[in-house]
Amino acid sequence: MWECAVVSSILQTLHADHVNIGQLLKLIEEQVEQSDTGNPDSKLETLTLVLEYCLEYPGKFHHPTEDMIYQRLLSRAPHLSRKITVLTA
């Protein structure tokens, strides 16, 4: 059985990931809106780094953690399988 503190920490991390991705998407919007001002190479570098993060981090860390939580939930509450399927789609 998972300790409550561990579960709480995992959920806090997942929530922080969602907040961080939201901030990164806002940064992308700002960089695109300001693409005609300032140093374009600097903006391109920032966009490249942010996009690399957005493409790599979720698949390596965030989504596998969510998948483990969903599997655990399914084992404890199989009646939620339809809702979890919709959620993960």
Side-chain angles (χ1 to χ4, degrees), residues 32-55:
V32 169
E33 287 173 1
Q34 299 171 3
S35 62
D36 58 344
T37 63
N39 181 352
D41 291 337
S42 171
K43 292 182 189 329
L44 182 59
E45 182 178 351
T46 299
L47 283 172
T48 300
L49 292 171
V50 169
L51 290 172
E52 285 175 356
Y53 176 86
C54 288
L55 290 172

Side-chain angles (χ1 to χ4, degrees), residues 12-46:
Q12 287 174 358
T13 299
L14 290 173
H15 175 71
D17 287 349
H18 285 242
V19 170
N20 291 338
I21 290 289
Q23 291 173 337
L24 291 173
L25 292 173
K26 184 177 177 181
L27 176 64
I28 291 170
E29 282 182 359
E30 291 170 356
Q31 293 293 307
V32 169
E33 287 173 1
Q34 299 171 3
S35 62
D36 58 344
T37 63
N39 181 352
D41 291 337
S42 171
K43 292 182 189 329
L44 182 59
E45 182 178 351
T46 299

Side-chain angles (χ1 to χ4, degrees), residues 7 23 27 39 58 60 65 74 83:
V7 172
Q23 291 173 337
L27 176 64
N39 181 352
K60 288 183 180 177
T65 302
L74 278 173
K83 290 182 180 186

Side-chain angles (χ1 to χ4, degrees), residues 11 14 27 46-47 51 54 56 58 63 66 75 79-80 87:
L11 293 176
L14 290 173
L27 176 64
T46 299
L47 283 172
L51 290 172
C54 288
E56 292 180 20
H63 295 143
E66 285 180 331
S75 71
H79 64 281
L80 296 176
L87 181 63

